[in-house]
Amino acid sequence: TIKGMKMVETMAIARFLAIKCNMFPNDPKCAWAADTCMDMWTDVINACGGFVFAPEEGKAAALEKFLGCADRFLCVASERMTAMNWKFAAGNTCSVGDVAIFTLFANTANNSECPLKEQMSAIYAKYPNLKCGLDCLLTKNELHLKSRACYAF
């Protein structure tokens, strides 16, 4: 609830907060890039849930789907950054697109409790141009990351 208004839907709330915090690009092309990062992030999180809650006989296939989905997300963002000569996922300033990439990183590749840390670290290593956004957000969130409880995901 924000100022008495009950809000639902994760991505709608994320967009609201991104606009409110000046992390949603004004340029239409950059806004589109940020939005696609957020939409692809949703696909990755859904695939992660599929893996976490898969029956034992379906774990391998669900893991493959999750890792493939994560790789595709990061590949699309990285290729767009290269093609557009952008420093960040949706332009030349840190935006909600980078936050989407960062939250996945912080909860998997940068999380000592994550059982998929090695696999996710290897995927992130394939896309070195994401490092600028990750470093920016690691710095901004350093205290939170050091003080929060760690869970598997």
Side-chain angles (χ1 to χ4, degrees):
T1 303
I2 298 175
K3 292 187 178 180
M5 185 171 89
K6 184 176 181 179
M7 300 180 112
V8 296
E9 293 299 327
T10 303
M11 288 298 100
I13 294 168
R15 286 180 184 93
F16 171 86
L17 292 172
I19 291 166
K20 192 167 179 61
C21 297
N22 293 319
M23 289 197 74
F24 199 87
N26 290 323
D27 176 86
K29 188 182 290 185
C30 294
W32 167 79
D35 254 351
T36 59
C37 283
M38 294 171 65
D39 289 343
M40 292 184 82
W41 177 89
T42 300
D43 295 340
V44 173
I45 296 307
N46 289 339
C48 182
F51 164 69
V52 170
F53 297 107
E56 206 51 48
E57 65 274 7
K59 282 278 191 212
L63 174 60
E64 185 177 337
K65 180 178 180 178
F66 167 66
L67 295 174
C69 198
D71 189 30
R72 180 74 182 135
F73 168 41
L74 300 177
C75 179
V76 167
S78 177
E79 286 178 353
R80 183 180 303 131
M81 290 167 66
T82 299
M84 302 301 292
N85 197 29
W86 286 343
K87 187 175 175 182
F88 294 95
N92 287 314
T93 57
C94 192
S95 76
V96 69
D98 299 286
V99 172
I101 293 167
F102 174 75
T103 58
L104 181 63
F105 174 78
N107 289 298
T108 60
N110 198 48
N111 177 1
S112 61
E113 298 298 316
C114 181
L116 306 178
K117 179 179 172 51
E118 286 184 32
Q119 293 102 314
M120 288 301 294
S121 293
I123 292 171
Y124 271 91
K126 292 168 50 177
Y127 308 107
N129 59 340
L130 299 177
K131 188 173 178 356
C132 185
L134 294 174
D135 287 349
C136 173
L137 289 165
L138 277 168
T139 299
K140 287 182 178 187
N141 292 282
E142 184 177 15
L143 292 176
H144 170 70
L145 292 171
K146 285 181 178 178
S147 65
R148 73 178 182 154
C150 280
Y151 301 100
F153 290 97

